[in-house]
Amino acid sequence: MLIECPECQLQISNKAIICPHCGYPLKPSVQPFKPSKRPRLPNGFGQITKISKKNLRKPYRAMVTIGKTELGKPICKLLKPESYFESYNDAYKALVEYNKNPYDLGKDLTIGELHDLWWESVGVTKLSDSTKRVYNSAWMSHCQEVKNIMLSEFRLRTLRVCMDHAGDSPKIKKLIKVVFLRMFDYAVQYEYIEKNIIRDFKLEDDMSVKKNHLIFTQEEMKVLWDRSYMAYVDWILIQCYTGMRPQELCLMKVEDVDVEKRVMYGGMKTKAGKNRAIPIHEKIVPLVQKNIEKANKCECEFLVNINEKGIDYQSYLRCFKKVMEVLELNPDHRPHDPRKQFVTMAKEYNVDEYAIKRIVGHQIADITENIYTERDIKWLTEEVNKIIVN
């Protein structure tokens, strides 16, 4: 039979010696059993954690459960208005009061806290590694100025701060909007807000206008080759003679490069572009070998790296711009330009059209070539070596 505890008003057994929730003595004449550890809190009740590594006057932190992730892991938030307490019992009493009449903690949710909740619930389980990298890069690089703004106070003009921080890059601005769209969809799903206002945010008209990629002039290519010993210049040259996207070069692993057979395996984005064979032009063999030796020396799994770690697109972009500035090349060049440079040079030196498509990872519509024709790496290498380095 269940009765109500005189202290916390929660239901307990009529045979209980003490209340399992608040510890109130129900039968003082009976010597209660004293467990060595505190009893586990009920599911959904909250969490109490002692912060032992800091000398705090109030070391006990109380957190309430506000939901669960896709994997069933509880999502917790600091109890408001007070989160830290001098004793475990004080923290427990505060949780008891909260659970008697739970109130909306979403009013005190910041944009940064919303991002963390969304990321823990969705980012870890439903996004690919490459998508997580670009989402995290956009958030960390351009959205930190707004993370402490309260969700209830967020306005569309607030998002403009992130857009202004992204500069003139339409791609990054679109990426920022996608991140906020998903965050606010999550907030609507868990009833923190009623409407996703990000859907009303309009990017500028010029956002849809793509800037054409530029090829390097002969003079610029000569400058790059003359300075190929400089940091990051060799990366650009490897791109120019393989046609790889910058992200593909960043993700290229040492184990997928075979210098002896003059081939590397990698790629992304489309079915034709993933896990493709990319021949190594004879002139860039020393550049590839140099990067392999550097990676092996610092025990890094990626072909190109900085400070013994692989790099993402934003890091590569900074390195690319630095090369353009130091070598006084056209500042309008972008990291995808070497890909266009490769295709342009390949056609100039009459490289087989199907070889070009196979190397850069473009879809081949011709059924005979795509389905019924086998092409080996030797043929691709012979074709790519038609490109003459002046």
Side-chain angles (χ1 to χ4, degrees):
M1 179 178 177
L2 296 178
I3 62 174
E4 189 177 86
C5 173
E7 178 68 19
C8 65
Q9 284 80 51
L10 296 178
Q11 288 188 331
I12 58 176
S13 171
N14 64 339
K15 296 181 180 181
I17 299 174
I18 63 172
C19 174
H21 303 293
C22 66
Y24 183 80
L26 301 172
K27 297 181 179 180
S29 60
V30 180
Q31 186 66 27
F33 172 73
K34 295 183 179 180
S36 58
K37 294 184 179 179
R38 296 186 179 93
R40 180 178 179 180
L41 297 177
N43 290 337
F45 189 81
Q47 296 180 359
I48 299 176
T49 307
K50 184 177 182 181
I51 312 299
S52 57
K53 293 184 179 181
K54 297 181 180 179
N55 187 20
L56 300 177
R57 186 172 63 86
K58 297 181 177 182
Y60 290 92
R61 181 183 64 194
M63 303 184 75
V64 298
T65 304
I66 58 175
K68 291 185 177 181
T69 67
E70 298 292 331
L71 299 177
K73 183 179 179 181
I75 301 174
C76 295
K77 180 174 173 59
L78 290 174
L79 178 65
K80 298 293 183 180
E82 187 175 3
S83 308
Y84 293 86
F85 302 88
E86 293 184 7
S87 68
Y88 180 93
N89 289 339
D90 289 341
Y92 187 87
K93 289 178 182 178
L95 281 180
V96 168
E97 290 301 318
Y98 168 81
N99 281 282
K100 285 181 182 178
N101 184 25
Y103 45 86
D104 184 12
L105 291 172
K107 295 178 180 178
D108 295 322
L109 200 67
T110 67
I111 295 300
E113 290 172 333
L114 172 62
H115 173 270
D116 293 343
L117 290 172
W118 163 71
W119 190 254
E120 183 178 2
S121 177
V122 181
V124 176
T125 58
K126 293 187 177 181
L127 303 178
S128 66
D129 290 341
S130 59
T131 301
K132 283 190 284 188
R133 275 192 293 270
V134 295
Y135 279 7
N136 190 55
S137 177
W139 171 257
M140 295 302 297
S141 301
H142 306 291
C143 306
Q144 298 304 293
E145 293 183 27
V146 304
K147 70 177 184 179
N148 292 323
I149 295 176
M150 307 307 298
L151 176 60
S152 58
E153 299 175 358
F154 188 91
R155 301 293 183 268
L156 291 181
R157 61 178 176 271
T158 312
L159 186 57
R160 182 64 59 194
V161 175
C162 303
M163 297 300 177
D164 292 343
H165 194 281
D168 298 326
S169 174
K171 183 176 180 179
I172 295 178
K173 291 182 178 181
K174 290 179 181 178
L175 188 60
I176 292 172
K177 182 178 178 180
V178 170
V179 171
F180 274 86
L181 271 173
R182 296 199 173 190
M183 285 168 51
F184 276 65
D185 279 343
Y186 174 88
V188 172
Q189 178 184 353
Y190 286 92
E191 300 181 349
Y192 295 130
I193 54 177
E194 295 182 358
K195 177 186 177 182
N196 187 344
I197 63 173
I198 306 300
R199 298 191 180 280
D200 297 327
F201 184 85
K202 304 297 182 182
L203 296 171
E204 294 88 353
D205 294 337
D206 61 352
M207 292 287 287
S208 60
V209 179
K210 292 186 176 180
K211 295 181 180 180
N212 292 326
H213 293 300
L214 305 174
I215 65 170
F216 294 93
T217 65
Q218 291 185 356
E219 291 77 14
E220 287 178 323
M221 288 300 294
K222 185 177 185 306
V223 171
L224 289 172
W225 276 111
D226 290 343
R227 303 292 182 86
S228 61
Y229 57 87
M230 289 178 55
Y232 318 135
V233 176
D234 52 343
W235 297 354
I236 298 175
L237 288 171
I238 290 174
Q239 262 195 281
C240 287
Y241 289 87
T242 60
M244 283 193 288
R245 300 177 179 89
Q247 298 99 319
E248 292 174 336
L249 180 59
C250 293
L251 294 173
M252 182 61 65
K253 294 184 177 181
V254 174
E255 64 181 10
D256 294 326
V257 181
D258 190 332
V259 177
E260 291 186 5
K261 294 183 179 179
R262 303 288 176 82
V263 63
M264 55 181 73
Y265 297 94
M268 57 182 292
K269 197 170 184 178
T270 65
K271 183 178 180 180
K274 294 179 179 178
N275 300 318
R276 66 184 188 272
I278 305 172
I280 303 175
H281 192 286
E282 59 185 3
K283 291 296 184 180
I284 64 170
V285 169
L287 305 181
V288 174
Q289 186 65 52
K290 182 181 72 172
N291 279 278
I292 291 177
E293 293 173 357
K294 177 186 174 184
N296 289 336
K297 186 176 181 180
C298 63
E299 298 182 352
C300 180
E301 62 177 327
F302 296 101
L303 180 64
V304 298
N305 61 86
I306 299 177
N307 297 328
E308 305 179 5
K309 296 181 180 180
I311 62 174
D312 56 18
Y313 178 80
Q314 291 301 317
S315 299
Y316 188 89
L317 175 62
R318 288 191 290 270
C319 295
F320 186 93
K321 288 183 175 180
K322 185 175 182 179
V323 171
M324 298 300 109
E325 179 182 355
V326 172
L327 299 186
E328 297 182 351
L329 304 182
N330 190 335
D332 292 332
H333 278 305
R334 293 177 291 161
H336 273 75
D337 290 356
R339 184 170 166 84
K340 183 173 183 178
Q341 178 72 22
F342 170 79
V343 175
T344 302
M345 292 191 301
K347 291 193 174 185
E348 179 182 354
Y349 289 99
N350 299 315
V351 175
D352 185 273
E353 186 73 22
Y354 293 132
I356 297 175
K357 290 186 176 183
R358 289 178 183 272
I359 294 171
V360 299
H362 286 168
Q363 183 65 42
I364 298 176
D366 186 281
I367 296 179
T368 304
E369 176 66 28
N370 188 32
I371 304 298
Y372 296 100
T373 306
E374 287 291 333
R375 300 289 193 182
D376 58 19
I377 188 60
K378 181 179 179 182
W379 176 72
L380 288 176
T381 304
E382 290 173 350
E383 287 298 317
V384 79
N385 281 333
K386 288 181 179 178
I387 301 174
I388 300 174
V389 179
N390 296 322

